[in-house]
Amino acid sequence: MSKTRVAPMSRKDIRNYANKIRTLLGYDITDFIHAPKLFDALSVIFSEEGLEFDYRILPDEDKIFEDKEEAFTDMSSGIIYIKESVMEQACRRSFRRGAFTLIHELGHYLLHYLQPDVKLSRVSDDVYVPPYCDPEWQADTFASEFLMPFEMCKTLNSEDIRQMYHVSRKAAEVRESKIDEELLR
């Protein structure tokens, strides 16, 4: 077994990047992001720039997915594969994981696939990988910062975050907790 390591990125670096992307796409810090519509828009925007943003929605039982995997980004092609049920959740604004999962995969695409200087490397399971070098932590952090902007969320409680940004209760609670930790430093 092995795990993956990437170049280090701090939470603040990822926050700044997420905020730049939000701004480029015309989102304000108070705006809820409808992830499926964003994916469609990115397909058009990238195409107009001669680039490709490709995602595929597949049946939940497709063998391409590992056990309990909701979606993944193929780092060799940049294609994002999404389970049908996850996309349905995200489309319904159902306060479930769907939107976070999609934006997590967008984080992999933007932070790890599109960046020519970012290289994924495999390390054995017994090697410690600090969170800031873990691609999963980076993608989770991107999703959190992108969906629930720090500047707005630092004034909200978890229920307000959940209602404003249509995220799961757990995502909102984790966001509030991480912000509280950061503000206490």
Side-chain angles (χ1 to χ4, degrees):
M1 292 290 286
S2 65
K3 51 189 170 185
T4 309
R5 179 186 181 106
V6 293
M9 276 189 93
S10 71
R11 177 175 299 281
K12 287 184 180 177
D13 290 340
I14 295 169
R15 175 178 301 145
N16 290 337
Y17 186 72
N19 288 338
K20 284 180 188 174
I21 300 296
R22 274 185 81 95
T23 301
L24 282 170
L25 294 170
Y27 291 112
D28 183 73
I29 64 169
T30 60
D31 291 337
F32 153 72
I33 293 175
H34 190 274
K37 287 182 181 178
L38 173 61
F39 271 42
D40 287 343
L42 288 174
S43 293
V44 172
I45 292 167
F46 275 76
S47 177
E48 289 173 352
E49 296 299 318
L51 301 169
E52 197 167 328
F53 179 79
D54 190 6
Y55 67 95
R56 303 196 181 151
I57 304 162
L58 302 173
D60 286 14
E61 58 279 352
D62 195 296
K63 300 289 186 217
I64 197 167
F65 297 107
E66 292 183 19
D67 189 37
K68 298 185 181 183
E69 188 173 47
E70 296 178 336
F72 72 93
T73 303
D74 181 327
M75 288 301 152
S76 62
S77 67
I79 298 171
I80 299 172
Y81 294 93
I82 306 160
K83 281 187 174 177
E84 191 172 25
S85 64
V86 173
M87 184 58 85
E88 286 173 4
Q89 282 178 12
C91 286
R92 288 194 311 263
R93 301 182 190 188
S94 62
F95 298 102
R96 299 197 56 198
R97 295 175 50 93
F100 193 91
T101 299
L102 293 181
I103 302 304
H104 170 99
E105 295 307 326
L106 178 62
H108 280 307
Y109 180 82
L110 294 172
L111 297 171
H112 307 132
Y113 175 74
L114 271 191
Q115 303 300 323
D117 56 337
V118 173
K119 300 291 181 241
L120 294 150
S121 60
R122 295 264 178 214
V123 295
S124 67
D125 280 338
D126 60 344
V127 173
Y128 173 71
V129 175
Y132 53 85
C133 292
D134 177 357
E136 294 305 315
W137 178 87
Q138 290 182 2
D140 276 348
T141 301
F142 176 84
S144 183
E145 295 290 344
F146 189 77
L147 287 172
M148 303 168 277
F150 178 83
E151 285 304 315
M152 188 66 200
C153 291
K154 71 182 183 182
T155 65
L156 303 174
N157 64 40
S158 63
E159 186 57 27
D160 292 338
I161 293 169
R162 182 176 166 267
Q163 293 294 326
M164 178 175 267
Y165 297 111
H166 298 267
V167 294
S168 70
R169 184 173 315 283
K170 182 177 178 184
E173 288 171 352
V174 168
R175 185 68 174 139
E176 180 184 32
S177 171
K178 296 289 183 190
I179 289 172
D180 288 349
E181 285 174 22
E182 190 172 335
L183 292 176
L184 289 174
R185 281 191 222 150

